[in-house]
Amino acid sequence: MIPVEQVEEQLLIEGTVDAVIYQNEENGYTVLRIDAGEQGGITVVGCMPAIAPGESLSVQGRWMRHASYGEQFKAETVDRRMPAGERAIFDYLASGAVRGIGAATARKIVEEFGGEALTVLEEHPEQLTKIHGITRKRALAMGENFRLQLGMRRLLEFLGDRGLPLQLAMPLYRRYGDRTLEVLRSNPYLLVDEELGVRFDQADELALDQGMEGDDPQRLEAGLLFELSHNLNNGHTFIPVEKLLYAVCMLLSDDDVVVDEDRALHGIARLEEKGRLVREHIAGRDAVYLRDMHDAEAYLAEMLGCMAERNYEYDFDVDELLSALLESSEFTFSEKQQLAISTAARNGLVILTGGPGTGKTTTVRGILQVFEALGLDTLLAAPTGRAAKRLSDLTGMEAKTIHRLLEAGFAGGGRTVFARSVTNPLECDAVILDEVSMVDITLMQALINALPHGARLVLVGDADQLPPVGPGNFLRDLITSHRVPTIQLTEIFRQAQQSDIVMNAHAVNAGEMPRPSGADGDFFIMKRADPASVIETVAQLCAQRLPKHYGFTPAQIQVLSPAKRHGSGTIPLNRRLQEALNPPSESKLEKRFGDTIFREGDRVMQVRNNYDIVWEKQGDDEQGTGVFNGDVGEIIRIFPQQECMVIRFDDRIATYTFDMLNELELAYAVTVHKSQGSEFDAVVLALSDGLPRKLLTRNILYTAITRAKRLLVIVGSQDVVAYMVNNNQKGRRYSALKSSS
């Protein structure tokens, strides 16, 4: 059943708000009824923050036919007018739209002032004292509350007139309050913010339309900050000054305005004076940093340097203890593994790195045994929920995500804050952090900041896997610095040698072509070239062949692709896999959101950190908050009338309202980047022609192969596989930790 059918024709509807049925105060999403005269009552849905009965609306949008609610009008642009006439004014004030005014007070105000009631509230609130029972203090408070309401309304008009999303109103108002319009008019570039998501060119057009000159210093500074912030997404902690100058001059110059390097240098100097930027000669470069990036690198360099130099002395023979523990252990340790365990026992900081099958997990178990014998209280952590669960399963100890370990939460403006810090440190003697290659410097800074003085840190990861999505290349930089004790495991253990997955991963990492297995192996290549045939073969494998011949359930199979949109990217793969694995059924409810249909039984992934989602454990009373980027779950129920769906993430159950669906994606297929930190029984890797060349790299292929535990099938072009093997370009990241730690 498809619950929503969209009709493309745009229409204009006018009327008066009868009732507000539902309103989300966080994002302004509203369901209301309007009296449209001869058209009767109409249900309107869309972003209409702080709206109230009695208001007059002109709404442009489209009709939607909902399976449960019938016809609804989806508002795309909204023109709001203050209530006119005594009845409409009364309805508006009686609705509670103005704090401090209820139905009884609204009646008295309208009886006293009639159609001029709103003018009195805005301009002469002291006149309200004519009404018995209203003091001057209360009158002024009601006037102030009404002006705040008007501020939101004018903000919405400002956004609508300039073609900006109305959804910006609530986060802007939370940030700047009743000064929002004043702030935006003075500096439209404040809209260029990660939380707000306005493109620089949109803010720039707004600024120029408002009369800002093309060479205005404020515009230049905004361009510099934008380029530096934008490049954080490319992994850079700083930008060489010559590259920054070129980029900002290209960004801001056109036929009418030429921004030269001298002006840009003056802009850098002004931002330095304001404390927004840091310019420093480091790592052989004249580098320009955003202040917080510079502070993060400097802090990590200082703290990690101190930890690396810290040695622990014991009043007993620690070698004898280590020998006894290793001899009694159920595991057999190689010389390098023993060295890693001994180093962790003696040093404040140690790196354990190596590829698949080299015994990292066994070594971690040995370190845990020694730490326990030394009486150390040890915490385990990983960057993602799946990586943490895997670490828990492998060690038999609880492991948490870094965010959960640090008790992350939200502050104003969407900022992440951590309850655990230098003033409220973690209660432990040691932390073992797995999958460190995924950790960016800002998150690592937060973790180091929360370590108690003297605590040990063991960093575990594979430096040949993909770098973090965020800024920096922490693990590789730390290894390259040669300042931190590093044990690299290279020996592939006998059991692992029996796996073609493991052996081919190492072959690819060495620049060699992978070799398919024989009939009884675990590594196969199915040669297909064009995207359509790759996608169709992947669907057959997941729905029929792998379940039939290997006994895998669809839940045990994960499809990977380097890209999202192009060729055999995850978006077209997910459409076909949803059709093959979870087709439409009268017994399954659906919800369309944009171009995606979410259906009961679908596998979905959370694509951003949300610290406020409430979840509860299945089978007990345990509750908590937070679902994080990369968490994968299943839609178990959709409730159209309540406009929500219930999703199970492993043993946690969470409820999502429909306005939160922009945080979800179908997850039958995910990108290789999104799969980091996870392992799957079976992996199908789609490598068709037409994938973006920048994503066809050796480390992406290596990372994809290492996600598979029992079976890997590559479906794609032999030429694409060969290109990836030979393309060892990792993409340069400007960072200085390797030089300063």
Side-chain angles (χ1 to χ4, degrees):
M1 174 188 349
I2 298 176
V4 175
E5 176 187 344
Q6 185 165 327
V7 182
E8 290 298 320
E9 185 184 2
Q10 261 203 352
L11 298 169
L12 180 69
I13 289 178
E14 297 183 336
T16 303
V17 180
D18 269 345
V20 177
I21 301 167
Y22 169 80
Q23 189 161 78
N24 185 313
E25 293 185 0
E26 286 296 307
N27 58 25
Y29 179 81
T30 303
V31 181
L32 54 81
R33 294 280 295 176
I34 66 171
D35 180 356
E38 294 181 359
Q39 294 177 272
I42 294 174
T43 300
V44 181
V45 300
C47 181
M48 295 171 282
I51 206 160
E55 294 191 46
S56 298
L57 297 184
S58 291
V59 184
Q60 192 168 6
R62 295 179 174 89
W63 284 104
M64 308 282 288
R65 191 169 297 111
H66 195 285
S68 299
Y69 303 130
E71 284 192 323
Q72 299 178 335
F73 194 78
K74 179 162 179 64
E76 296 186 359
T77 61
V78 181
D79 181 23
R80 302 167 61 169
R81 297 181 297 280
M82 291 303 295
E86 294 185 9
R87 180 65 197 179
I89 293 173
F90 169 75
D91 288 343
Y92 170 75
L93 294 176
S95 71
V98 180
R99 191 155 53 96
I101 301 178
T105 303
R107 184 171 290 106
K108 292 176 183 178
I109 292 174
V110 173
E111 287 174 353
E112 178 69 31
F113 300 104
E116 298 298 311
L118 299 183
T119 303
V120 170
L121 270 169
E122 181 182 10
E123 300 176 4
H124 309 289
E126 67 278 359
Q127 293 188 21
L128 295 173
T129 57
K130 294 178 181 179
I131 299 171
H132 180 71
I134 296 181
T135 63
R136 179 176 175 81
K137 182 178 179 181
R138 186 184 172 194
L140 294 176
M142 287 190 287
E144 178 63 21
N145 291 335
F146 179 63
R147 284 191 293 275
L148 289 175
Q149 221 29 34
L150 287 180
M152 173 60 77
R153 180 186 305 276
R154 288 163 182 159
L155 173 60
L156 289 165
E157 291 172 355
F158 177 88
L159 296 173
D161 289 345
R162 289 154 182 81
L164 294 168
L166 300 183
Q167 290 86 341
L168 293 172
M170 295 306 292
L172 282 169
Y173 215 78
R174 284 197 300 271
R175 190 176 299 185
Y176 302 114
D178 59 349
R179 295 178 52 249
T180 302
L181 267 182
E182 176 189 346
V183 168
L184 286 184
R185 286 192 173 110
S186 64
N187 186 5
Y189 298 103
L190 294 172
L191 292 167
V192 185
D193 178 274
E194 186 176 352
E195 183 198 6
L196 302 175
V198 176
R199 301 192 314 272
F200 181 86
D201 62 324
Q202 290 177 294
D204 196 39
E205 183 180 0
L206 175 58
L208 296 174
D209 285 347
Q210 290 185 178
M212 183 176 286
E213 296 294 331
D215 59 354
D216 190 290
Q218 193 167 252
R219 181 173 185 252
L220 181 56
E221 291 173 15
L224 288 163
L225 293 171
F226 167 75
E227 286 293 345
L228 287 164
S229 299
H230 175 73
N231 276 283
L232 295 179
N233 299 323
N234 296 325
H236 305 304
T237 62
F238 70 82
I239 300 294
V241 69
E242 69 275 10
K243 291 185 178 294
L244 178 60
L245 293 174
Y246 176 79
V248 80
C249 291
M250 292 294 292
L251 176 71
L252 301 181
S253 297
D254 56 27
D255 293 339
D256 300 319
V257 178
V258 176
V259 176
D260 57 29
E261 290 191 357
D262 285 339
R263 287 182 179 175
L265 281 169
H266 285 303
I268 292 173
R270 287 194 301 273
L271 287 169
E272 279 189 278
E273 291 175 5
K274 296 176 181 179
R276 303 288 302 278
L277 301 184
V278 175
R279 186 174 175 183
E280 186 174 294
H281 193 78
I282 193 167
R285 293 276 191 171
D286 188 357
V288 183
Y289 288 87
L290 291 171
R291 166 63 68 180
D292 57 349
M293 283 296 103
H294 177 271
D295 292 349
E297 276 197 348
Y299 175 81
L300 285 173
E302 180 182 358
M303 297 300 295
L304 293 170
C306 292
M307 292 176 68
E309 294 172 359
R310 187 181 299 143
N311 296 307
Y312 295 93
E313 303 290 336
Y314 301 95
D315 55 5
F316 56 88
D317 193 330
V318 72
D319 288 327
E320 286 188 8
L321 173 67
L322 292 172
S323 296
L325 285 171
L326 296 177
E327 286 178 10
S328 64
S329 176
E330 60 182 298
F331 309 110
T332 301
F333 299 98
S334 69
E335 287 187 12
K336 276 200 172 179
Q337 287 177 309
Q338 293 182 44
L339 175 62
I341 295 168
S342 174
T343 305
R346 291 181 167 89
N347 290 81
L349 177 64
V350 62
I351 296 172
L352 176 65
T353 186
T358 57
K360 292 194 301 293
T361 299
T362 301
T363 308
V364 168
R365 288 169 174 159
I367 292 171
L368 281 170
Q369 287 180 332
V370 170
F371 281 3
E372 184 179 3
L374 293 172
L376 304 181
D377 186 3
T378 305
L379 299 175
L380 303 182
T384 67
R386 286 203 162 216
K389 186 177 185 305
R390 176 172 164 267
L391 184 60
S392 293
D393 294 341
L394 292 171
T395 62
M397 288 179 57
E398 182 186 17
K400 297 180 178 180
T401 65
I402 301 174
H403 285 84
R404 191 167 296 282
L405 186 73
L406 301 181
E407 300 173 21
F410 261 154
R415 293 181 300 108
T416 305
V417 294
F418 300 102
R420 295 292 183 174
S421 65
V422 68
T423 57
N424 182 30
L426 295 166
E427 297 170 7
C428 66
D429 302 303
V431 171
I432 299 177
L433 178 61
D434 199 11
E435 298 287 354
V436 181
S437 63
M438 299 177 64
V439 184
D440 64 38
I441 67 165
T442 54
L443 188 54
M444 184 54 67
Q445 179 190 24
L447 176 61
I448 298 297
N449 194 43
L451 288 179
H453 181 70
R456 308 160 199 243
L457 180 61
V458 179
L459 301 174
V460 185
D462 185 348
D464 292 316
Q465 289 193 26
L466 294 170
V469 174
N473 198 352
F474 176 77
L475 179 60
R476 183 167 288 282
D477 282 355
L478 218 57
I479 294 172
T480 306
S481 75
H482 302 296
R483 293 279 304 278
V484 178
T486 300
I487 290 84
Q488 183 169 9
L489 304 178
T490 56
E491 179 186 350
I492 304 172
F493 286 88
R494 186 176 303 165
Q495 184 177 358
Q497 291 177 6
Q498 299 172 7
S499 167
D500 290 325
I501 294 173
V502 171
M503 300 309 293
N504 277 316
H506 286 276
V508 166
N509 201 35
E512 302 170 8
M513 284 290 289
R515 296 181 179 180
S517 304
D520 298 327
D522 58 10
F523 190 105
F524 301 96
I525 298 177
M526 300 181 69
K527 297 178 182 179
R528 306 286 191 275
D530 67 282
S533 65
V534 169
I535 292 170
E536 189 57 36
T537 301
V538 169
Q540 291 175 6
L541 284 167
C542 295
Q544 302 164 22
R545 298 171 68 171
L546 297 187
K548 180 179 178 181
H549 295 292
Y550 292 91
F552 292 119
T553 66
Q556 292 175 295
I557 306 167
Q558 182 62 60
V559 177
L560 303 181
S561 174
K564 293 187 70 172
R565 300 184 182 280
H566 300 88
S568 56
T570 59
I571 291 175
L573 278 166
N574 272 315
R575 291 196 189 104
R576 180 66 184 96
L577 289 165
Q578 184 188 48
E579 180 185 324
L581 299 174
N582 191 30
S585 167
E586 291 187 359
S587 64
K588 294 180 179 179
L589 294 176
E590 301 176 350
K591 169 63 182 175
R592 181 182 291 275
F593 187 82
D595 295 332
T596 303
I597 294 174
F598 292 105
R599 183 175 297 133
E600 290 175 345
D602 275 338
R603 186 191 306 176
V604 293
M605 174 181 282
Q606 177 76 12
V607 294
R608 66 185 65 173
N609 292 332
N610 188 325
Y611 304 99
D612 299 323
I613 295 178
V614 178
W615 52 260
E616 58 185 24
K617 287 282 187 73
Q618 282 185 291
D620 60 37
D621 296 329
E622 183 181 351
Q623 288 188 329
T625 58
V627 180
F628 301 104
N629 187 3
D631 286 355
V632 175
E634 179 187 349
I635 300 173
I636 55 178
R637 290 291 302 278
I638 295 176
F639 297 96
Q641 291 186 333
Q642 290 82 8
E643 296 201 341
C644 67
M645 62 177 63
V646 178
I647 301 174
R648 179 173 56 234
F649 296 94
D650 295 322
D651 60 346
R652 296 171 297 152
I653 301 292
T655 298
Y656 283 63
T657 55
F658 287 171
D659 58 299
M660 297 164 58
L661 297 185
N662 62 327
E663 299 185 10
L664 294 173
E665 292 178 355
L666 293 176
Y668 299 103
V670 301
T671 63
V672 177
H673 282 86
K674 286 289 189 184
S675 73
Q676 275 192 277
S678 302
E679 280 190 336
F680 311 95
D681 287 310
V683 168
V684 180
L685 176 60
L687 296 178
S688 73
D689 291 337
L691 292 168
R693 288 289 173 117
K694 67 178 182 180
L695 297 175
L696 301 181
T697 62
R698 185 186 298 173
N699 62 345
I700 285 182
L701 179 58
Y702 172 77
T703 301
I705 293 171
T706 58
R707 300 309 91 202
K709 291 194 291 186
R710 296 167 53 192
L711 181 71
L712 179 93
V713 184
I714 296 177
V715 182
S717 163
Q718 190 82 355
D719 291 342
V720 172
V721 176
Y723 183 89
M724 297 179 79
V725 169
N726 293 319
N727 181 13
N728 199 29
Q729 298 297 315
K730 293 182 169 67
R732 176 159 190 185
R733 293 192 168 201
Y734 293 111
S735 61
L737 193 60
K738 56 182 172 287
S739 305
S740 54
S741 60

